[in-house]
Amino acid sequence: MLDYRIETFLVLCECGNYRQTAEQLHITQPAVTQQIHHLEQEYGCKLFHYANRRLEKTTAAETLELYARAERLHEQALREQLKKKDLVKKLRVGATKTIGDYFLVDYIHRYLRDENHSLDFLVDNTEHLLRELEENRLDFAVVEGFFDKDRFDSILLRREPFVGICRRDHLFAGREVSIEELLGETIIHREDGSGTRAILEQELMGYNESLNRFHRRICISSFKVILDLVREGFGVSFVYNVLADSDPELAKFSLQDDHVVREFNIVYLKYADQKEKIDWFFEGTAPEHHF
């Protein structure tokens, strides 16, 4: 059973405020202070300090937080297992939109063909999925975006080209184009927090450019709508190759001397050994542990 003082510690990590922690846990503020002091004595280190009147975690607290979150996930899984009267294997999996809508479908089908398998599947942007992992609402997520490798462990699933897409009759079709040509187009991109947008912005930074430099910008959160707009000639976009190949009416292009390949990673809480659950879903086809 997870120590109640650890639960208090995790809430304080999230709130960054003793009063708010006390209110959320329905205990007194001195009780919160006492519990944190007990943990500091137990582990022989300072967990919090004030800087410019703001409560901040120490390096030791950050390490303890990672272990505590992993332990809370394990206890949650144990409680669910003890309540079960059958052998149902339940997974809570997240995926970014390209991966969830276009890449993992066959894995989902294969996993659910077993009637003893249950699945909660969330498709969202990278930023939100990482928050869900930290809140123990997902077992693991498959993402193409950037993530903090100090807070999460990962397994490399696949490397995928990141390509430009346009109408088949567009002058970019099948070509390498210059950054100057690209900036003269309308760019259709994902919302802030998405992995594909972060990668596009990073590539533009390599040219000392940004999204603001385009002739026109259109921000769309749905890949279905993005593909439709590109197909109808409203602009160009950048997506993963698996998505570009899903529509025969689209053509691909690339930036000159810049062929981008990015990783699809299986991501889970640091110190939370999720290999067994990952194997349930991928049936042992995922590569070995990767940092």
Side-chain angles (χ1 to χ4, degrees):
M1 181 177 178
L2 198 63
D3 192 297
Y4 67 92
R5 287 164 290 214
I6 290 292
E7 290 286 2
T8 299
F9 165 76
L10 287 173
V11 174
L12 183 56
C13 286
E14 295 162 4
C15 291
N17 183 285
Y18 279 93
R19 179 182 56 79
Q20 292 178 11
T21 299
E23 290 175 352
Q24 185 169 327
L25 294 174
H26 305 292
I27 59 178
T28 66
Q29 186 169 328
V32 174
T33 302
Q34 184 180 25
Q35 290 177 29
I36 298 303
H37 283 168
H38 176 89
L39 291 176
E40 290 177 333
Q41 292 174 356
E42 177 76 18
Y43 292 109
C45 59
K46 191 73 173 173
L47 296 175
F48 297 92
H49 64 88
Y50 282 95
N52 297 323
R53 298 186 177 180
R54 291 189 59 183
L55 188 68
E56 294 186 355
K57 293 178 285 187
T58 64
T59 301
E62 290 175 349
T63 301
L64 178 59
E65 182 186 10
L66 294 176
Y67 275 102
R69 288 186 183 279
E71 188 61 31
R72 186 165 66 179
L73 181 66
H74 291 152
E75 176 160 341
Q76 183 179 354
L78 175 62
R79 288 179 181 275
E80 291 178 357
Q81 187 63 38
L82 292 175
K83 288 190 295 185
K84 288 177 182 176
K85 297 179 181 179
D86 50 34
L87 298 178
V88 171
K89 292 179 178 178
K90 181 176 180 179
L91 287 179
R92 303 169 304 162
V93 180
T96 48
K97 293 191 177 183
T98 301
I99 296 172
D101 291 343
Y102 296 91
F103 180 68
L104 289 185
V105 175
D106 288 343
Y107 290 102
I108 294 171
H109 289 175
R110 185 169 60 187
Y111 174 75
L112 291 178
R113 285 193 183 103
D114 189 324
E115 293 185 355
N116 290 320
H117 289 178
S118 176
L119 177 67
D120 291 342
F121 190 69
L122 172 66
V123 176
D124 213 315
N125 64 45
T126 303
E127 184 177 312
H128 185 252
L129 293 175
L130 296 179
R131 285 201 304 270
E132 293 294 287
L133 283 172
E134 291 202 311
E135 293 301 319
N136 300 125
R137 288 192 280 264
L138 292 175
D139 298 312
F140 62 87
V142 190
V143 306
E144 87 275 2
F146 303 105
F147 59 93
D148 186 347
K149 293 187 178 181
D150 289 330
R151 299 188 68 82
F152 301 96
D153 281 338
S154 64
I155 297 172
L156 175 62
L157 179 61
R158 174 188 176 109
R159 289 187 173 91
E160 183 76 7
F162 191 66
V163 300
I165 55 172
C166 58
R167 277 175 60 107
R168 292 191 65 84
D169 59 356
H170 194 282
L171 59 88
F172 284 7
R175 289 182 50 215
E176 287 191 352
V177 304
S178 68
I179 188 66
E180 291 76 18
E181 288 178 285
L182 180 63
L183 292 175
E185 295 291 319
T186 294
I187 185 72
I188 305 170
H189 59 79
R190 288 282 307 285
E191 77 283 0
D192 192 23
S194 75
T196 50
R197 173 164 172 167
I199 292 167
L200 175 58
E201 289 178 325
Q202 185 191 46
E203 292 305 311
L204 290 172
M205 286 176 60
Y207 292 93
N208 198 29
E209 300 289 357
S210 69
L211 288 173
N212 292 328
R213 292 271 291 146
F214 277 87
H215 167 67
R216 182 169 67 150
R217 294 171 50 188
I218 301 173
C219 181
I220 303 289
S221 65
S222 164
F223 275 123
K224 181 178 183 301
V225 177
I226 289 174
L227 295 186
D228 179 71
L229 290 175
V230 173
R231 193 186 308 115
E232 295 299 319
F234 285 96
V236 300
S237 189
F238 283 83
V239 298
Y240 282 99
N241 194 66
V242 65
L243 180 55
D245 286 343
S246 71
D247 192 327
E249 296 184 36
L250 298 177
K252 292 184 278 188
F253 68 90
S254 62
L255 284 171
Q256 287 178 346
D257 303 318
D258 192 7
H259 299 278
V260 183
V261 178
R262 287 291 183 266
E263 298 178 350
F264 289 178
N265 281 295
I266 306 167
V267 179
Y268 51 98
L269 278 181
K270 202 169 188 68
Y271 308 121
D273 184 4
Q274 296 289 60
K275 189 175 187 306
E276 181 181 22
K277 289 187 175 183
I278 291 169
D279 283 345
W280 292 352
F281 189 76
F282 291 100
E283 293 192 352
T285 60
E288 289 302 309
H289 194 81
H290 162 76
F291 293 98

